[in-house]
């Protein structure tokens, strides 16, 4: 899957397909990935109203197996992974000893003593190294399986009917954050009901040599349902509308899960010690007494788009910073997520703006998420 170009950018198994579809490609964490195929707004609306097909093969899969796999993951991660049932998945984080977030993860329990940890592309090596280091003394093996999988996602309200037409798997019985082994269009796959768009959908983990065959079968199955190929650009606006954090924007090593408003993922009541416990207990106490900046939503009153790093202001003072910003195709207005001082975090707080190139543009503070799908 590696490229031999001087840049050493990595290519997914679907690279030729993306180019044949006229995709605009971009470098993402060392991978050459499709940014968009046509209009990112059209791709965004397709996922909200019908369905979109994504190549997410840049994500990092790490397998953890062995008698003490659960104990290792409970020690290495902040969540209670031992309590995840076989066939289920959990959103969690891996933190440093000082409580800073190394990455946010999804962990799938594939069997009694087998787990798959899915890391962000930009952090896959960091997570692999941390898990390997933390495995010392545990009867468990940490395996780099990044080259063993291609990952294709079908997202949107029409995704269940599209997938159902090419698999015998019990999709109706497959809950959100669950995964089951099955066959899709004749290809063996782990079928997971997970995603990063705010819509119903599925992520399909397959061997790289089966990726093109599966992509083409899903494209054909989705023809009557309005399925379109989608790039990373619309995935970003979809997750932003859904209020989902992105590592390097809302999450970083300088923030704890409590700073990010995601303290619920830290399970102090699980058995045994875990990396960062002491620092995270202190962060939890701080957040309860005198919260630092709070992650909020901002909706523009005008048309100017805020970007990551722009200052949030009130009464001429800087009160926070934008972490992600973009035009929202669903709301029809620019939106942003930002960390702001607690005194200005309540929805409807008056006088809040964003400094866009010296001009203080008015913004409304709102609760996250901006968009929630109708069940």
């Amino acid at each position: 899957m590696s490229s031999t170009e001087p840049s050493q950018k990595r290519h997914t198994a679907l690279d030729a397909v993306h180019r044949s579809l006229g995709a605009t490609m971009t470098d993402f964490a060392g991978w050459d990935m499709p940014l968009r195929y046509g209009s990112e707004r059209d791709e965004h609306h397709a996922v909200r109203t019908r369905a979109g097909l994504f190549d997410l093969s840049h994500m990092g899969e790490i397998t953890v197996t062995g008698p003490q796999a659960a104990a290792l993951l409970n020690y290495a991660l902040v969540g209670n992974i031992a309590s995840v049932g076989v066939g289920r998945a959990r959103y969690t984080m891996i933190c440093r000893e000082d409580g800073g977030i190394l990455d946010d993860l999804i962990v799938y329990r594939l069997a009694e003593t087998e787990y798959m940890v899915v890391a962000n592309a930009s952090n896959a090596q960091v997570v692999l190294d941390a898990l390997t280091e933390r495995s010392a003394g545990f009867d468990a093996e940490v395996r780099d399986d990044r080259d063993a999988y291609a990952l294709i996602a079908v997202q949107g309200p029409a995704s269940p009917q599209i997938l159902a037409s090419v698999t015998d798997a019990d999709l109706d019985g497959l809950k959100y954050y669950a995964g089951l082994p099955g066959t899709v269009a004749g290809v063996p796959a782990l079928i997971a009901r997970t995603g990063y768009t705010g819509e119903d959908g599925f992520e399909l983990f397959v061997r790289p040599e089966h990726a093109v065959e599966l992509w083409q079968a899903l494209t054909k199955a989705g023809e009557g349902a309005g399925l379109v190929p989608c790039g990373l650009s619309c995935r970003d606006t979809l997750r932003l509308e859904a209020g989902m954090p992105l590592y390097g924007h809302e999450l970083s090593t300088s923030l704890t899960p409590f700073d990010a408003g995601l303290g619920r993922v830290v399970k102090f009541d699980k058995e045994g010690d875990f990396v960062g416990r002491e620092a995270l207990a202190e962060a939890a106490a701080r957040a309860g007494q005198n919260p630092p900046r709070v992650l909020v939503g901002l909706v523009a009153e005008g048309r100017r788009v805020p970007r990551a790093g722009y200052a949030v202001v009130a009464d001429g003072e800087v009160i926070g910073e934008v972490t992600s910003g973009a035009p929202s195709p669903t709301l029809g207005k620019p939106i942003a997520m930002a960390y702001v001082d607690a005194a200005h975090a309540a929805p409807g707080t008056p006088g809040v703006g964003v400094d866009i190139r010296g001009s203080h543009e008015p913004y409304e503070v709102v609760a996250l998420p901006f968009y929630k799908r109708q069940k």
Side-chain angles (χ1 to χ4, degrees):
M1 289 165 71
S2 293
S3 144
T4 54
E5 292 174 9
S7 65
Q8 287 300 301
K9 266 197 293 198
R10 304 188 74 193
H11 294 156
T12 77
L14 291 161
D15 185 69
V17 173
H18 301 318
R19 291 172 196 282
S20 73
L21 291 168
T24 299
M25 306 296 284
T26 188
D27 177 43
F28 189 89
W31 291 83
D32 210 15
M33 298 297 294
L35 188 63
R36 70 181 75 80
Y37 298 85
S39 155
E40 54 204 49
R41 178 178 292 270
D42 290 348
E43 291 172 24
H44 181 109
H45 284 310
V47 176
R48 285 275 178 260
T49 59
R50 304 184 307 278
L53 190 61
F54 295 84
D55 177 12
L56 306 177
S57 302
H58 60 313
M59 301 294 280
E61 295 86 6
I62 301 160
T63 303
V64 180
T65 56
Q68 290 189 300
L72 162 58
L73 289 170
N74 262 16
Y75 168 71
L77 312 180
V78 301
N80 188 352
I81 308 306
S83 68
V84 178
V86 174
R88 299 306 302 266
R90 183 155 299 165
Y91 176 78
T92 187
M93 294 183 184
I94 183 167
C95 289
R96 302 193 306 193
E97 197 66 67
D98 66 1
I101 302 165
L102 284 172
D103 201 13
D104 61 336
L105 313 163
I106 296 181
V107 179
Y108 297 88
R109 189 170 195 169
L110 305 180
E112 195 58 38
T113 60
E114 183 180 4
Y115 296 81
M116 180 167 68
V117 177
V118 181
N120 285 296
S122 55
N123 293 328
Q125 190 64 48
V126 169
V127 174
L128 177 67
D129 291 345
L131 287 175
T132 302
E133 186 183 315
R134 295 173 189 187
S135 68
F138 289 94
D139 186 3
E141 181 197 350
V142 176
R143 188 173 72 233
D144 180 1
D145 268 349
R146 284 176 287 179
D147 287 342
Y149 291 101
L151 177 55
I152 295 173
V154 193
Q155 299 281 303
S159 57
Q161 73 184 63
I162 292 168
L163 193 57
S165 71
V166 289
T167 184
D168 293 334
D170 177 18
L171 299 182
D172 289 341
L174 187 64
K175 297 186 175 73
Y176 186 51
Y177 266 71
L180 59 86
T183 303
V184 182
V187 168
L190 171 68
I191 306 165
R193 200 163 207 153
T194 46
Y196 193 51
T197 62
E199 297 298 336
D200 192 9
F202 303 88
E203 295 184 316
L204 308 170
F205 295 86
V206 299
R207 293 195 60 79
E209 60 265 30
H210 294 145
V212 172
E213 181 186 346
L214 180 58
W215 179 280
Q216 290 173 342
L218 290 166
T219 299
K220 193 169 190 320
E223 276 172 0
L227 175 81
V228 302
C230 292
L232 294 183
S233 186
C234 84
R235 190 168 182 253
D236 191 50
T237 52
L238 290 159
R239 71 91 195 166
L240 177 56
E241 288 183 350
M244 294 175 165
L246 175 63
Y247 195 90
H249 289 254
E250 289 71 42
L251 308 175
S252 72
T253 52
S254 63
L255 297 167
T256 72
F258 294 95
D259 297 327
L262 292 164
R264 63 182 181 275
V265 306
V266 181
K267 303 301 180 190
F268 292 111
D269 58 353
K270 64 179 173 177
E271 203 176 306
D273 194 16
F274 63 92
V275 176
R277 176 192 275 275
E278 200 175 311
L280 289 168
E282 290 170 11
R286 280 197 309 273
Q289 294 157 3
N290 182 21
R293 286 181 167 176
V294 179
L295 189 64
V296 300
L298 299 174
V299 178
E301 292 179 22
R303 309 303 305 170
R304 297 188 74 184
V305 179
R307 298 297 181 192
Y310 285 12
V312 183
V313 293
D315 303 320
E317 299 288 319
V318 174
I319 58 153
E321 186 177 301
V322 171
T323 53
S324 297
S328 164
T330 304
L331 275 63
K333 299 175 180 179
I335 59 172
M337 286 200 277
Y339 283 107
V340 302
D341 295 343
H344 298 272
T349 299
V352 173
V354 175
D355 185 340
I356 301 181
R357 297 188 184 88
S359 170
H360 289 190
E361 301 290 326
Y363 273 75
E364 181 189 357
V365 180
V366 300
L368 292 169
F370 302 97
Y371 166 86
K372 214 169 202 170
R373 73 180 171 97
Q374 301 301 308
K375 301 285 185 192

